[in-house]
């Protein structure tokens, strides 16, 4: 669990001149395009400042309303294509690497072939969004549905589906936020040249983005290129636990005979960053002046804390942050990888040319953040003695308290999220950010009375309000997820949804959970955010499926 803050307070009293100096450093790098030239030199000041900021905060803002947030702050919820659409063999869609992964048996027979059938039920889902009061909806486009060959001709049925969905959202006053890639690269490109392991992907991803900007950009203002490339690189190319399930022994978490964990995670993310910057360059040159939109990427973020109050664990914590977040953020800000990554990975991490470095710098209008929980970090420098190393060994830090394959609930600790967001602000120049994913995991079919999810959302939205008051440049918040989806690591065994999907019903009927009712009341500003203000016990729509939760 999280280290007791009082230990740090007693060990490290913070002089006021250090606070002022740190705040001065921060104020001089407020704009996302400006950054401190030597971010690592401020780590010492950073740790003291943020511990001081945390004192006195026991939880997120306790009582608040929608009106407490800026008028242009956006609240929404999200899904992704493979997790919600289904219809995988329908109307011209080709397979993606996610289809291949699930049908190879890694998900114990579960897959997204049907998922929530969002492909056919999008009108019903948009109606539920309107009833909930969503201001925005974050979803992804299936590259293989729009361009079945990965490039070349557009599939007219896929184009029609996304046009219909976007039009339906806009006509109902819901702002579309679109992600271009969410773990579902067309399998044809993986087969032809290795997908993200080849520089050819930069050309094809830019072509795909160009099609999306051209066809949908008159109605879509917010574009995310790749969802959490850091986790995609680790899961897909080091451990093999997610598409395209590449890894090499002894680093695999699965049985695999393809891949090389020693360098492929670095190579894949390298090409993702280059493809991202190419797409941003395209948008700014060809579309921004007439469409006035914004392009960014999304990173997965843990709140990381040292397991013990030792210099080794504190250094390991900073190294873990470099390897998880700096891996993406420092190239986008400074045009190069963190020093710790280059030092420990050596020639196994690719180098940017001067031209690539310049193109990367400032190649975002916003950063999306996917945040769920916190972990503790302890030093593992002994791993650097191994000649054969992967990403995890190069990190030389062990992550404690992380159980990716569990359906256990996350602890409700919004003050820890606030600390990490303050660190993000100070290290990376306070860029505009969207909380793209945040939500509570529960076992599937546990209860429509998802009190723990309400408490989690109540606390973390309050934490976001605290973050805004701290000057963190947050532009919006999206609950993960709108419906109970096919989840990346455990299929249908866990759920995050505001709405339950009855998979025993051929129509896949949706039912509101307590969290949907609570979020709706908050968004419509009808009440305070006190958990007990919403009840579902007497909701007549629940009678017919009550047997599922007995």
């Amino acid at each position: 669990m999280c280290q007791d803050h009082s230990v740090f307070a007693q060990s490290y009293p913070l002089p006021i001149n250090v606070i002022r100096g740190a705040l001065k450093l921060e104020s001089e790098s407020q704009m996302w395009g400006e950054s401190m030239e030597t971010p690592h030199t401020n780590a010492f000041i950073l740790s003291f400042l943020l511990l001081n900021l945390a004192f006195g905060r026991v939880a997120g803002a306790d009582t608040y309303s929608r009106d407490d947030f800026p008028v242009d702050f956006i609240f929404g919820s999200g899904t992704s294509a493979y997790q919600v659409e289904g219809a995988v063999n329908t109307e011209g869609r080709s397979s993606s690497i996610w289809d291949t992964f699930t049908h190879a048996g890694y998900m114990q027979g579960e897959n997204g072939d049907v998922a929530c059938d969002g492909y056919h039920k999008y009108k019903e889902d948009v109606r539920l969004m309107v009833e909930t009061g969503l201001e925005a909806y974050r979803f992804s486009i299936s590259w293989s549905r729009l361009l079945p060959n990965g490039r070349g001709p557009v599939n007219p049925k896929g184009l029609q589906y996304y046009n219909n969905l976007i039009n339906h959202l806009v006509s109902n006053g819901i702002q579309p936020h679109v992600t271009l890639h969410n773990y579902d690269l067309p399998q044809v490109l993986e087969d032809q040249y290795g997908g993200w392991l080849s520089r050819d992907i930069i050309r094809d991803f830019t072509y795909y983005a160009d099609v999306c900007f051209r066809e949908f950009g008159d109605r879509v203002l917010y574009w995310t290129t790749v969802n959490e490339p850091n986790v995609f690189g680790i899961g897909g190319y080091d451990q093999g636990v997610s598409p395209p399930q590449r890894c090499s022994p002894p680093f695999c978490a699965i049985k695999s005979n393809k891949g090389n964990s020693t360098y492929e995670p670095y190579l894949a993310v390298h090409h993702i960053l280059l493809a991202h910057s190419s797409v941003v360059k395209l948008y700014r040159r060809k579309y921004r002046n007439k469409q006035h939109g914004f392009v960014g990427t999304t990173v997965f973020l843990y709140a990381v804390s040292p397991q013990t109050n030792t210099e080794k664990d504190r250094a390991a914590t900073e190294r873990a942050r470099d390897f998880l977040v700096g891996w993406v953020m420092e190239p986008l800000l400074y045009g190069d990888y963190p020093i710790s990554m280059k030092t420990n990975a050596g020639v196994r991490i690719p180098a940017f040319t001067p031209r690539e470095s310049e193109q990367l710098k400032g190649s975002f209008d916003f950063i999306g953040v996917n945040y769920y929980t916190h972990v503790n970090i302890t030093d593992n420098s002994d791993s650097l003695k191994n000649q054969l190393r992967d990403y995890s060994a190069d990190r030389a830090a062990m992550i404690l308290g992380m159980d990716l394959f569990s359906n256990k609930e996350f602890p409700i600790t919004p003050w820890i999220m606030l600390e990490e967001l303050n660190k993000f602000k100070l290290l990376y120049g306070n860029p505009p950010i969207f909380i793209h994913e945040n939500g509570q995991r529960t076992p599937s079919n546990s209860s429509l009375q998802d009190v723990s999810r309400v408490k989690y959302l109540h606390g973390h939205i309050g934490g976001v309000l605290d973050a805004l008051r701290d000057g963190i440049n947050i532009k919006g918040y999206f609950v993960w997820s709108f419906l109970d989806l096919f989840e990346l690591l455990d299929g249908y065994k866990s759920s995050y949804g505001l709405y339950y999907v009855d998979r025993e019903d051929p129509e896949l009927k949706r039912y509101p959970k307590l969290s949907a009712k609570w979020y709706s009341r908050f968004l419509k500003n009808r009440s305070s955010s006190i958990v007990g203000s919403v009840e579902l016990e007497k909701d007549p729509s629940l009678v017919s499926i009550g047997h599922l939760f007995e």
Side-chain angles (χ1 to χ4, degrees):
M1 299 302 292
C2 183
Q3 185 74 28
D4 185 333
H5 291 148
S6 62
V7 174
F8 290 93
Q10 293 165 6
S11 301
Y12 300 105
L14 183 62
I16 189 65
N17 62 313
V18 175
I19 298 176
R20 289 172 178 164
L23 290 173
K24 182 176 185 294
L25 285 170
E26 177 208 352
S27 67
E28 291 172 350
S29 58
Q30 287 291 317
M31 299 303 293
W32 64 266
E34 300 173 6
S35 58
M36 295 172 282
E37 292 182 1
T38 55
H40 299 293
T41 62
N42 295 316
F44 183 77
I45 296 173
L46 168 66
S47 60
F48 287 148
L49 172 64
L50 290 160
L51 288 167
N52 191 73
L53 287 171
F55 297 148
R57 294 185 192 268
V58 177
D62 186 49
T63 301
Y64 55 85
S65 69
R66 176 64 181 90
D67 283 347
D68 290 315
F69 291 81
V71 67
D72 59 347
F73 191 94
I74 198 81
F75 280 98
S77 188
T79 64
S80 82
Y82 186 75
Q83 295 174 272
V84 74
E85 285 178 5
V88 296
N89 298 313
T90 299
E91 297 182 329
R93 179 189 180 274
S94 66
S95 294
S96 76
I97 59 174
W98 206 338
D99 292 282
T100 303
F101 177 75
T102 57
H103 284 274
Y106 293 108
M107 301 299 294
Q108 293 79 47
E110 294 184 338
N111 56 59
D113 288 3
V114 177
C116 303
D117 197 24
Y119 186 78
H120 297 107
K121 298 174 74 68
Y122 71 91
K123 288 184 179 179
E124 176 185 340
D125 290 338
V126 172
R127 177 179 59 78
L128 293 178
M129 294 175 205
V130 173
E131 291 178 3
T132 308
L134 291 194
E135 299 160 5
Y137 176 55
R138 176 178 174 254
F139 64 98
S140 71
I141 290 174
S142 167
W143 187 347
S144 58
R145 192 182 297 282
L146 191 63
L147 297 172
N149 295 318
R151 55 185 178 272
V154 175
N155 174 19
K157 291 294 186 179
L159 179 64
Q160 182 183 28
Y161 167 69
Y162 289 113
N163 268 322
N164 289 344
L165 172 60
I166 291 167
N167 289 341
H168 212 55
L169 289 167
V170 172
S171 66
N172 281 279
I174 299 171
Q175 189 180 83
H177 287 235
V178 174
T179 299
L180 297 176
H181 181 277
N182 193 314
Y183 293 84
D184 56 351
L185 177 79
Q187 183 64 42
V188 63
L189 300 184
E190 184 76 14
D191 294 339
Q192 285 177 7
Y193 54 69
W196 290 107
L197 295 177
S198 169
R199 290 186 69 92
D200 291 345
I201 195 70
I202 301 170
R203 172 201 65 208
D204 289 342
F205 187 66
T206 306
Y207 176 87
Y208 161 54
D210 196 9
V211 171
C212 292
F213 296 152
R214 182 185 72 227
E215 298 294 342
F216 312 126
D218 58 330
R219 289 150 292 158
V220 176
L221 291 179
Y222 294 93
W223 297 94
T224 297
T225 54
V226 178
N227 183 56
E228 53 189 36
N230 48 355
V231 174
F232 179 69
I234 299 166
Y237 297 89
D238 183 12
Q239 300 172 352
V241 297
S242 62
Q245 77 264 1
R246 296 183 65 87
C247 63
S248 60
F251 308 112
C252 292
I254 62 168
K255 290 184 179 180
S256 175
N257 58 3
K258 61 178 181 178
N260 191 321
S261 299
T262 67
Y263 73 88
E264 285 189 1
Y266 299 122
L267 185 61
V269 172
H270 190 75
H271 291 149
I272 287 172
L273 289 167
L274 293 176
H276 162 83
S277 65
S278 173
V279 167
V280 172
K281 180 180 178 182
L282 166 75
Y283 189 86
R284 290 175 176 176
R285 174 179 57 84
K286 188 174 179 180
Y287 293 102
R288 184 165 67 176
N289 287 340
K290 56 184 177 182
Q291 294 183 355
H292 310 291
F294 308 90
V295 184
T297 192
T298 294
V299 296
F300 183 89
L301 180 68
Y302 278 125
V304 291
S305 304
Q307 173 72 4
T308 66
N309 184 22
T310 62
E311 177 57 34
K312 280 190 173 183
D313 280 3
R314 291 197 300 272
T317 300
E318 294 308 313
R319 198 161 55 245
R321 185 177 288 110
D322 282 350
F323 270 72
L324 182 65
V325 183
W327 191 9
V328 176
M329 288 303 303
E330 293 204 21
L332 296 182
L333 286 167
Y334 314 118
D336 204 358
Y337 295 114
I339 294 172
S340 61
M341 295 192 76
K342 294 198 297 179
T343 299
N344 292 3
V347 296
R348 289 178 289 112
I349 191 167
F352 297 112
T353 67
R355 182 178 179 182
E356 290 168 345
S357 181
E358 286 304 311
Q359 183 171 294
L360 275 163
K361 292 178 186 178
S363 61
F364 63 94
D365 300 313
F366 65 86
I367 295 294
V369 169
N370 294 349
Y371 173 85
Y372 292 93
T373 191
H374 66 276
V375 294
N376 286 354
I377 304 295
T378 190
D379 178 68
N380 187 31
S381 295
D382 285 347
S383 66
L384 297 175
K385 298 175 183 177
N386 301 329
Q387 284 194 329
L388 184 66
R389 298 202 303 271
D390 69 338
Y391 162 91
S392 296
D394 291 337
R395 184 181 60 209
M398 291 182 63
I399 298 177
L400 308 176
M402 175 181 65
D403 191 350
L404 295 177
F405 298 96
S406 167
N407 58 14
K408 293 180 181 177
E409 296 178 1
F410 298 126
I412 301 171
T413 53
W415 59 93
I416 299 179
M417 176 190 73
L418 178 61
E419 291 173 28
E420 196 64 32
L421 290 175
N422 268 297
K423 294 170 188 174
F424 193 96
K425 168 189 173 184
L426 208 57
L427 281 173
Y428 307 121
N430 201 19
I433 65 174
F434 288 91
I435 307 296
H436 268 163
E437 293 183 21
N438 180 245
Q440 177 64 286
R441 174 175 63 189
T442 58
S444 291
N445 296 356
S446 54
S447 176
L448 292 172
Q449 297 281 349
D450 57 343
V451 173
S452 64
R453 181 167 292 109
V454 173
K455 290 180 178 178
Y456 182 96
L457 297 178
H458 169 241
H460 284 79
I461 292 174
V464 170
L465 182 56
D466 284 337
L468 287 168
R469 290 167 175 169
D470 279 354
I472 299 171
N473 196 8
I474 305 179
K475 299 299 183 183
Y477 173 92
F478 291 76
V479 174
W480 185 265
S481 55
F482 185 63
L483 305 172
D484 283 347
L485 305 171
F486 178 78
E487 288 296 335
L488 174 65
L489 294 177
D490 51 3
Y492 301 110
K493 295 178 181 64
S494 66
S495 66
Y496 292 79
L498 297 171
Y499 284 82
Y500 166 75
V501 177
D502 185 0
R503 303 194 183 281
E504 301 298 319
D505 183 345
E507 298 298 316
L508 296 172
K509 189 170 181 180
R510 284 82 156 121
Y511 295 89
K513 299 180 187 177
L514 183 68
S515 54
K517 299 284 188 178
W518 177 86
Y519 198 42
S520 177
R521 291 178 69 90
F522 164 68
L523 293 176
K524 295 172 183 177
N525 219 40
R526 291 206 306 259
S527 69
S528 74
S529 57
I530 297 172
V531 174
S533 65
V534 183
E535 293 183 2
L536 280 183
E537 282 87 348
K538 298 179 181 179
D539 191 327
S541 69
L542 306 183
V543 175
S544 62
I545 60 166
H547 65 282
L548 292 175
F549 306 102
E550 294 175 353

